[in-house]
């Protein structure tokens, strides 16, 4: 559909979003036919028809008709956006229709970019499967290990264990290639290769940590290849050495020197290695195009040298009968079948007094870099024409072909030379090559230089891809614009490569490389395992030959190989990756792409939710899930979504921060009109929650009024047993001061809704004075335990003690006894109950006789008497107004729009009881850090105004008070 265009009778048609459409060109292709969906009378305007026609129908006359229709273009109307969305052709990206087009280049960005008018913007030439993936992988895999170490490995491990070694390492890379193929074919892939795959699958923290380790592995691998090339050159041309060095070979059985083997000097390796690294950097600076031209020149001689080696092996019996080369012989094959692990010096020469003892594990570390390089193609994914085709085919072809080559070579090497020859002739491949050894020297040098070139090409692009994702600000210097060469990253890679070249010892470098590569391979396998196991709807890879069990096996092999090689190197590499992960989690920016962990969390949450079932949670597993009602009784400052202390209070209801809070607010109005305001308010509330470091979520509900909004929230919020079980509301202390007459009915309605919905209620009075985490409190936490609430009040007091601000306080439990004779028995029962609950608290029993026994004279001196008389006066005046209105209207008593029944004697009883409780609180708990008291339910058929008067009298002069009402279940248990 890229070349399709729309033929229009107008030159430009104005769309509803301001886009301008141009006339059709003669080269446009047919896609679909779209005609006007509304008929228009000729009196209104000419009918407008938009059609996409076949090329064969386009002729020169259409151009003139298009010109004639320009005058009427302003009168017509585009129907492409009839349904309120962009038209199909815009969504599918028909570039010829519009001058601007959204072209998201990655999951992180979706900015509009300009495109050429009528023609696609020319891009750089992309690479195919062979040159883009197969050749780079082949050059990396067929490296120095094969030429100068592989025959030695066969001599040390024997044919049997060498076959096992090659199969073991080859299986690891083969399984990793399958996982890589699956992930690479699951959508568009940008530059960065394995980092891009791991980061999008396991998250930015894991992706950056493993990606940086893989970058270091590639950079260090470049030094390995450079040293191999230099060592081969110095062996082939000894006179080129500036310094001289020699190693004495000792017979392993007698201990008598039997030959002198000259090895290149370490200083020669360092000098020549630095020069070669600099020369390769100049080639890399030429860009991918230059490297693609150079790559065949490096690869073809290598392939030719392999043929020369095989020809030499088959001809070796007649050519070298007395040099340890026996030719292909069954006797030699049998002699070399078993292993013969020995001690060697640092140069690998057998020596009974050598410092290095080789075993199978050590050979794994030495050989594994010979099978690495499968990521060379994916490292250059940004330069590929079709990543979803090239990466699987090219990577697997290179892996299988090289693994088969290694297996065949094991059999041939083990059958044509003695073990002594295999161990002492480090360049046996050159010795046996036909027609002259010089061909192998050239092949080795070009092979290693080609592999080094691929490492120095892929590593900077990997680092630039990590920097471009803008996760770590420290990497900003390595950013590059799309299509540009990563010059700074290349210089940094060359610096690392040069530093490793200075070390000058291949056997010390290879274990380090192996760990970094294995860590990356394990990350790729784990990414595929996670994605395949979760099987999210977005997981639709084109590569079908994969299974989560294969990826898990591949990841396990990677970890096993790491520990087989060296547990100390493994610990160091994992520690380095962990440090990077920790640094990224602290300093890095959050990536805005989805990752597999989020899907795993989602699946885990669903399974956990189902496992909780529909039954009530047992008290031992009960967690408070508070619903924090953020809407204030009054107004907050602009852009302040919630009372600043609500999150502090919510944290006090959790033990060690574990648990979820739901912060909810209500916007009055119509949903269609206020939807955008609700989204903005939700973002502000989310920011507030994150700033206060409170584990919770934000919800904004649009409703006609607060009462209806809260009633909907309390019924629907939450899922299954993860519904909120406690409603936290701030006490409306300002309702009388600011004459907010609607608050009493709303407040009582909220409490009644919670009772009906079986939700616990916590009403906070004195929220402005609530301490934050840095304000330490002293004194007591006093509980006035009047009614049975399932232990919620006791549990809240214990949760308060777990916070630093209240940890210095002690708990006092006040119980109310009706008669003096009940005091001791009640005190003993409560103490025993608290002991069984493992709660430390002092128990105080107070006698509060029924209200009839009290006369006004007994409370004249009480601090609350003034508030009491004021409440009596206001209730009497409110009741008189109700009666007068009912008498005028000829109806029964009405309050808050509904009939009420007022028992004046019962009103007096409520007032006296509340007065006595407030007096008791002021007498015993005036200096308490916080007071918790049972919340009395609103009396049935009483006006809401009356209940607010009761509550005002209860909280009078108490600076910090929590009114708690439990629900019909226990939240604490006596049992383990």
């Amino acid at each position: 559909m890229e070349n399709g265009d729309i033929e229009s009778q107008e030159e430009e048609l104005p769309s509803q979003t301001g886009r301008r459409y141009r006339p059709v060109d003669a080269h446009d292709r047919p896609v679909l036919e779209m005609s006007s969906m509304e008929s228009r009378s000729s009196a209104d305007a000419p009918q407008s028809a938009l059609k996409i026609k076949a090329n064969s129908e386009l002729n020169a006359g259409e151009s003139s008709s298009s010109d004639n229709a320009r005058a009427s273009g302003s009168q017509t109307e585009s129907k492409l956006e009839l349904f309120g969305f962009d038209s199909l052709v815009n969504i599918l990206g028909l570039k010829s229709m519009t001058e601007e087009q959204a072209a998201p280049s990655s999951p992180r960005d979706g900015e509009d970019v300009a495109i050429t008018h009528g023609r696609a913007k020319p891009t750089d030439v992309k690479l195919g499967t062979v040159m883009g993936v197969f050749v780079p992988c082949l050059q990396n895999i067929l490296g120095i290990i094969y030429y100068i170490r592989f025959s030695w490995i066969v001599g040390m491990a024997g044919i049997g264990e060498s076959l096992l070694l090659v199969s073991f390492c080859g299986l690891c890379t083969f399984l990793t290639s399958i996982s890589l193929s699956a992930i690479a074919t699951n959508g568009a892939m940008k530059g960065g290769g394995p980092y891009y795959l791991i980061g999008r699958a396991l998250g930015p923290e894991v992706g950056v940590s493993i990606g940086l380790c893989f970058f270091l592995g590639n950079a260090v691998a470049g030094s390995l290849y450079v040293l191999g090339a230099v060592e081969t050159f110095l062996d082939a041309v000894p006179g080129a050495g500036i310094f001289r060095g020699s190693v004495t070979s000792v017979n392993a059985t007698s201990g008598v020197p039997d030959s002198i083997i000259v090895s290149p000097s370490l200083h020669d390796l360092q000098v020549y290695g630095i020069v070669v690294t600099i020369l390769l950097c100049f080639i890399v600076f030429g860009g991918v195009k230059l490297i693609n031209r150079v790559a065949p020149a490096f690869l073809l001689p290598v392939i030719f040298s392999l043929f020369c080696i095989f020809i030499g092996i088959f001809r070796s019996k007649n050519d070298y009968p007395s040099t340890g080369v026996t030719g292909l012989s069954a006797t030699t094959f049998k002699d070399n079948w078993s292993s013969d692990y020995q001690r060697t010096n640092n140069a690998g020469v057998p020596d009974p007094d050598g410092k290095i003892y080789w075993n199978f594990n050590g050979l794994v570390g030495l050989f594994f870099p010979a099978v690495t390089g499968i990521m060379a193609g994916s490292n250059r994914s940004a330069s590929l024409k079709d990543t979803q085709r090239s990466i699987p085919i090219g990577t697997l072809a290179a892996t299988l072909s090289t693994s088969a080559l290694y297996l065949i070579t094991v059999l041939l090497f083990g059958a044509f030379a003695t073990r002594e020859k295999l161990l002492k002739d480090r360049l046996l491949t050159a010795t046996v090559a036909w027609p002259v050894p010089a061909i192998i020297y050239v092949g080795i040098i070009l092979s290693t230089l080609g592999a080094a070139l691929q490492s120095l090409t892929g590593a900077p692009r990997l680092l630039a891809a990590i920097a471009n994702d803008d996760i770590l600000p420290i990497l900003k210097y390595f950013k590059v614009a799309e299509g540009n060469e990563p010059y700074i990253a290349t210089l940094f890679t060359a610096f690392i490569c040069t530093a490793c070249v200075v070390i000058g010892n291949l056997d010390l470098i290879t274990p380090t490389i192996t760990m970094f590569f294995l860590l990356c391979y394990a990350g790729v396998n784990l990414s595929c395992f996670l994605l395949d196991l979760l099987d999210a709807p977005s997981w639709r890879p084109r590569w079908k030959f994969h299974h989560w069990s294969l990826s898990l096996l591949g990841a396990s092999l990677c970890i096993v190989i790491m520990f087989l090689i060296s547990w100390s190197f493994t610990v160091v590499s994992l520690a380095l990756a962990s440090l990077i992960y920790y640094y990224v989690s602290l300093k890095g920016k959050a990536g805005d792409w989805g990752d597999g962990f989020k899907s795993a969390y989602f699946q885990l949450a669903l399974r956990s939710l189902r496992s909780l079932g529909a039954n009530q949670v047992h008290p031992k597993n009960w967690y408070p899930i508070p619903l924090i009602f953020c809407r204030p009784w009054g107004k907050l400052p602009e852009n302040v979504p919630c009372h600043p202390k609500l999150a502090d209070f919510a944290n006090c209801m959790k033990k060690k921060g574990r648990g979820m809070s739901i912060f909810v607010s209500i916007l009055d109005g119509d949903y269609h009109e206020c939807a955008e305001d609700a989204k903005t308010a939700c973002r502000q509330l989310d920011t507030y929650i994150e700033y206060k470091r409170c584990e919770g979520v934000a919800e904004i509900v649009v409703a006609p009024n607060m009462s209806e909004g809260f009633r909907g929230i309390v019924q629907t919020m939450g899922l299954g047993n993860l519904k909120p079980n406690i409603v936290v509301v701030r006490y409306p202390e300002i309702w009388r001061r600011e004459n907010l007459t609607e608050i009493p009915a709303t407040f009582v309605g909220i409490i009644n809704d919670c009772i009906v919905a079986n939700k616990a209620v916590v009403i906070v009075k004195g929220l402005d004075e609530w301490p934050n985490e840095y304000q330490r409190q002293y004194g007591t936490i006093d509980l006035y335990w009047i009614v049975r609430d399932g232990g919620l009040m006791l549990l809240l007091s214990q949760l308060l003690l777990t916070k630093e601000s209240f940890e210095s306080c002690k708990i006092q439990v006040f119980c109310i006894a009706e008669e003096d004779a009940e005091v001791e028995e009640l005190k003993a029962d409560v103490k025993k109950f608290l002991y069984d609950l493992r709660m430390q608290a002092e128990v105080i029993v107070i006698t509060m006789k029924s209200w009839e026994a009290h006369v006004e004279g007994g409370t004249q001196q009480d601090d609350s008497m003034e508030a009491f008389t004021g409440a009596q006066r206001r209730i009497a005046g409110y009741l008189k107004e109700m009666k007068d209105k009912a008498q005028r209207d000829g109806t029964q008593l009405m309050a808050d729009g509904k009939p009420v029944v007022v028992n004046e004697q019962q009103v007096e009883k409520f007032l006296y009881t509340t007065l006595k409780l407030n007096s008791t609180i002021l007498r015993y708990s005036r200096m308490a850090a916080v007071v918790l008291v049972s919340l009395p339910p609103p009396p049935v058929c009483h006006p809401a105004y009356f209940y607010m008067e009761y509550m005002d009298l209860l909280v009078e002069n108490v600076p910090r008070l929590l009114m708690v009402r439990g629900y019909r279940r226990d939240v604490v248990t006596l049992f383990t």
Side-chain angles (χ1 to χ4, degrees):
M1 297 180 64
E2 294 179 354
N3 299 324
D5 263 328
I6 290 183
E7 180 191 14
S8 173
Q9 294 179 357
E10 297 83 15
E11 180 180 6
E12 292 181 346
L13 292 176
S15 69
Q16 296 174 3
T17 57
R19 292 188 176 92
R20 309 288 292 180
Y21 298 94
R22 68 170 184 81
V24 70
D25 290 335
H27 63 275
D28 294 330
R29 296 171 52 193
V31 180
L32 57 88
E33 181 170 326
M34 182 183 298
S35 56
S36 177
M37 299 183 65
E38 292 182 8
S39 60
R40 304 174 62 177
S41 62
S42 58
D44 296 332
Q47 293 186 356
S48 171
L50 299 176
K51 295 183 179 180
I52 300 176
K53 295 186 178 181
N55 290 343
S56 58
E57 296 179 1
L58 296 175
N59 49 48
E62 292 174 340
S63 176
S64 60
S65 64
S66 177
D67 295 335
N68 295 333
R70 293 175 185 176
S72 60
S74 59
Q75 300 177 4
T76 59
E77 184 180 27
S78 173
K79 303 301 179 183
L80 293 177
E81 300 180 11
L82 179 66
F83 298 101
F85 298 99
D86 282 349
S87 64
L88 178 64
V89 282
N90 281 336
I91 295 173
L92 295 179
L94 298 183
K95 299 179 181 180
S96 57
M97 284 189 60
T98 174
E99 296 178 0
E100 291 186 354
Q101 170 182 324
S105 59
S106 77
R108 294 181 54 84
D109 50 14
E111 296 84 358
D112 290 344
V113 294
I115 64 173
T116 55
H117 188 71
R119 221 178 255 190
K121 182 181 178 180
T123 58
D124 294 335
V125 177
K126 298 291 185 177
L127 304 177
T129 302
V130 176
M131 295 304 300
V133 180
F134 181 76
V135 169
C137 289
L138 206 62
Q139 284 186 311
N140 271 37
I141 297 173
L142 288 178
I144 185 65
I145 301 297
Y146 179 81
Y147 287 101
I148 68 175
R149 292 292 186 269
F150 197 48
S151 60
W152 182 90
I153 291 173
V154 175
M156 188 70 71
I159 297 174
E161 292 194 17
S162 295
L163 291 174
L164 177 63
L165 174 66
V166 173
S167 301
F168 187 58
C169 297
L171 178 62
C172 178
T173 55
F174 176 72
L175 294 176
T176 304
S177 299
I178 291 178
S179 299
L180 174 67
S181 301
I183 306 178
T185 57
N186 189 53
M189 183 177 173
K190 284 184 63 180
Y195 155 73
Y196 185 87
L197 301 178
I198 296 172
R200 267 57 179 181
L202 301 182
E205 294 86 359
V206 179
V208 171
S209 57
I210 295 181
L212 287 178
C213 289
F214 188 60
F215 159 75
L216 291 175
N218 274 279
V220 175
S223 65
L224 168 68
Y225 302 132
V226 169
L227 285 174
V230 173
E231 182 177 337
T232 304
F233 171 74
L234 293 175
D235 283 339
V237 188
I242 304 173
F243 305 92
R244 292 292 182 268
S246 64
V247 176
T248 302
S249 175
V250 180
N251 189 291
T253 56
S254 64
V256 179
D258 59 356
S259 62
I260 300 296
I261 299 178
V262 179
S263 298
S265 169
L266 173 63
H267 301 301
D268 284 335
L269 294 176
Q270 293 170 338
V271 172
Y272 280 99
I274 293 174
V275 172
V276 170
T277 303
I278 294 174
L279 293 177
L280 290 177
C281 285
F282 279 110
I283 299 177
V284 174
F285 268 95
V288 177
K289 291 182 180 179
L290 179 60
I291 296 171
N292 292 336
R293 296 191 186 102
V294 174
F298 282 97
L299 183 62
L300 292 178
V302 173
I303 297 176
F304 179 71
S305 68
L306 294 178
F307 283 106
C308 293
I309 292 173
F310 290 138
I311 294 174
I313 290 175
F314 285 105
R315 294 171 52 90
S316 60
K317 186 172 183 179
N318 297 327
D319 292 344
Y320 307 102
S322 60
T323 59
V325 177
T326 64
L328 295 176
S329 168
T331 303
T332 306
F333 187 90
K334 182 178 180 181
D335 294 339
N336 291 334
W337 177 260
S338 59
S339 61
D340 185 17
Y341 296 112
Q342 304 177 31
R343 287 188 176 275
T344 68
N345 55 24
N346 290 335
V349 178
D351 185 351
D353 299 324
K355 298 180 180 179
I356 304 174
Y357 177 76
W358 292 93
N359 53 23
F360 184 82
N361 296 354
L363 292 184
V364 171
L366 179 62
F367 173 72
F368 193 83
V371 296
T372 59
I374 60 175
M375 300 291 183
S378 62
N379 284 345
R380 303 163 63 178
S381 54
S383 302
L384 300 177
K385 291 180 183 177
D386 187 356
T387 58
Q388 300 188 33
R389 172 182 171 83
S390 297
I391 290 179
I393 296 176
T395 304
L396 286 170
T399 302
L400 293 176
S401 59
T402 52
S403 297
L405 174 66
Y406 284 131
L407 291 173
I408 294 172
T409 305
V410 169
L411 299 176
L412 296 178
F413 280 175
F416 93 102
T418 62
R419 189 180 302 273
E420 184 179 3
K421 183 68 173 178
L422 292 173
L423 289 174
K424 292 184 178 180
D425 191 347
R426 302 295 292 273
L427 279 170
L428 181 60
T429 53
T431 302
V432 74
W434 176 88
V436 291
I439 295 177
I440 301 305
Y441 289 116
V442 174
I444 294 174
I445 294 173
L446 292 180
S447 170
T448 50
L449 291 180
L453 196 61
Q454 297 298 335
S455 294
L456 293 176
T457 302
R461 282 159 176 76
L462 176 60
L463 182 61
I466 299 174
N468 284 344
D469 273 340
D470 202 22
I471 301 297
L472 275 182
I474 196 173
L475 300 178
K476 62 182 179 180
Y477 305 103
F478 302 111
K479 288 184 178 181
V480 292
E482 186 174 357
N484 293 347
E485 293 294 325
Y487 295 119
I488 299 179
T490 302
L491 288 176
F492 183 66
T493 305
F495 172 77
I496 296 176
C497 183
T498 305
C500 293
V501 165
V502 173
I503 298 176
N505 192 329
L506 289 178
D507 297 333
L508 293 179
I509 295 176
T510 49
T512 307
I513 301 171
T514 303
M515 292 302 168
F516 288 144
F517 277 90
L518 282 169
L519 193 62
C520 178
Y521 295 170
V524 172
N525 282 301
L526 287 176
S527 301
C528 186
F529 165 73
L530 180 65
L531 295 172
D532 215 353
L533 188 65
L534 296 174
D535 200 16
S538 61
W539 177 244
R540 301 185 304 275
R542 285 194 169 92
W543 181 259
K544 302 301 181 183
F545 303 101
H546 64 91
H547 192 265
W548 64 264
S549 58
L550 296 178
S551 300
L552 181 60
L553 178 60
S556 303
L557 283 178
C558 292
I559 302 300
V560 168
I561 292 175
M562 291 177 71
F563 281 98
L564 281 179
I565 295 171
S566 172
W567 67 268
S568 57
F569 274 99
T570 302
V571 172
V572 170
S573 60
L574 291 176
L576 177 61
S578 300
L579 286 176
I580 298 175
Y581 178 92
Y582 183 69
Y583 180 77
V584 174
S585 61
L586 287 180
K587 302 293 185 180
K589 301 177 182 178
D592 56 359
W593 59 76
D595 59 73
F597 280 135
K598 299 296 188 299
S599 181
Y601 297 153
F602 179 76
Q603 295 287 347
L604 182 61
L606 288 181
R607 293 194 178 189
S608 301
L609 186 61
R610 288 196 299 266
S611 65
L612 289 175
N615 299 326
Q616 291 184 341
V617 179
H618 193 275
K620 71 170 64 174
N621 301 321
W622 188 87
Y623 283 84
I625 306 177
L627 178 70
I628 313 296
F629 192 39
C630 299
R631 176 152 176 177
W633 309 105
K635 292 185 178 180
L636 288 173
E638 188 177 359
N639 296 327
V640 177
C642 183
H643 192 287
K645 294 297 183 69
L646 266 177
D648 294 325
F649 179 76
N651 281 329
C652 289
M653 301 179 70
K654 303 173 186 176
K655 186 175 183 180
K656 297 181 180 179
R658 287 191 292 265
M660 181 179 68
S661 301
I662 302 176
F663 290 78
V664 64
S665 188
I666 299 173
L667 292 182
D668 292 342
D670 181 78
Y671 175 69
H672 293 165
E673 297 176 357
C674 302
E676 291 302 321
D677 294 338
K679 293 177 183 178
T680 302
C682 191
R683 287 193 294 268
Q684 293 176 347
L685 193 53
D686 268 325
T687 304
Y688 162 80
I689 296 171
E690 183 177 356
Y691 170 75
K692 300 296 287 187
R693 292 182 295 180
C694 182
E695 289 188 357
V697 296
E699 294 289 346
I700 303 295
V701 175
V702 180
N705 54 64
M706 187 189 297
S707 297
E708 291 189 19
F710 183 82
R711 193 166 295 122
I713 290 170
V714 80
Q715 293 181 77
T716 60
M717 191 65 67
L719 292 172
N721 273 324
L722 287 182
K723 289 184 177 180
N725 45 33
I726 301 176
V727 177
V728 178
V729 182
R730 181 188 179 193
Y731 184 75
E733 303 172 49
I734 63 171
W735 75 278
R736 180 180 291 110
R737 183 175 66 249
E738 298 188 10
N739 195 28
L740 301 175
T741 56
E742 76 282 357
I743 284 184
T746 304
F747 183 72
V748 171
I750 288 175
I751 297 176
N752 285 329
D753 290 341
C754 293
I755 294 174
V756 173
N758 196 24
K759 307 288 186 186
V761 184
V762 176
I763 298 175
V764 188
K765 193 264 182 180
L767 187 62
D768 295 334
E769 291 79 30
W770 192 264
N772 58 33
E773 55 183 330
Y774 306 109
Q775 296 173 326
R776 187 173 292 274
Q777 303 296 300
Y778 299 94
T780 60
I781 299 175
D782 292 351
L783 280 66
Y784 286 83
W785 196 16
I786 302 173
V787 297
R788 183 179 181 276
D789 61 352
L792 179 59
M793 193 183 299
L794 294 172
L795 185 62
L796 288 178
S797 64
Q798 294 295 320
L799 292 175
L800 287 176
L801 287 183
T802 63
K803 301 302 174 184
E804 292 185 7
S805 53
F806 288 100
E807 63 181 2
S808 301
C809 298
K810 296 182 179 180
I811 296 177
Q812 292 184 148
V813 178
F814 292 86
C815 300
I816 310 298
E818 290 289 335
E819 303 293 340
D820 294 339
E822 301 174 357
V823 172
E824 294 302 325
E825 182 180 0
L826 179 59
K827 186 173 184 178
D829 290 343
V830 174
K831 279 188 173 182
K832 178 65 168 58
F833 181 69
L834 294 177
Y835 178 80
D836 292 338
L837 288 176
R838 294 88 62 200
M839 293 183 178
Q840 297 289 335
E842 181 183 355
V843 179
I844 301 173
V845 180
I846 301 173
T847 301
M848 180 182 288
K849 298 181 180 179
S850 59
W851 70 274
E852 291 92 348
H854 296 278
V855 295
E856 293 185 7
T859 58
Q860 289 293 338
Q861 305 302 321
D862 196 285
D863 292 341
S864 304
M865 196 60 198
E866 182 179 353
F868 171 73
T869 55
Q872 277 186 319
R873 183 177 62 256
R874 288 188 295 271
I875 287 177
Y878 190 85
L879 181 59
K880 183 176 184 302
E881 290 181 4
M882 290 171 54
K883 290 180 179 179
D884 292 343
K885 188 175 186 306
Q887 187 175 7
R888 286 195 310 269
D889 298 340
T891 60
Q892 62 185 97
L893 292 178
M894 300 286 292
D896 307 318
K898 56 185 178 181
V900 296
V901 177
V902 178
N903 186 331
E904 297 186 32
Q905 197 174 26
Q906 190 179 24
V907 172
E908 289 294 316
K909 177 181 179 179
F910 275 119
L911 281 174
Y912 272 114
T913 303
T914 306
L915 169 64
K916 188 61 179 178
L917 181 56
N918 177 259
S919 301
T920 305
I921 293 173
L922 294 180
R923 185 182 308 162
Y924 293 99
S925 305
R926 187 180 289 272
M927 302 303 295
V930 62
V931 177
L932 287 81
V933 63
S934 298
L935 174 69
V940 181
C941 296
H942 274 219
Y945 180 87
F946 289 7
Y947 185 74
M948 288 302 300
E949 290 289 354
Y950 307 151
M951 292 297 99
D952 274 0
L953 182 57
L954 176 61
V955 304
E956 184 70 24
N957 295 322
V958 183
R960 199 180 293 155
L961 180 71
L962 302 181
M963 291 173 279
V964 181
R965 177 175 178 81
Y967 55 117
R968 296 185 293 273
R969 59 161 305 171
D970 293 331
V971 298
V972 294
T973 177
L974 304 176
F975 306 101
T976 303

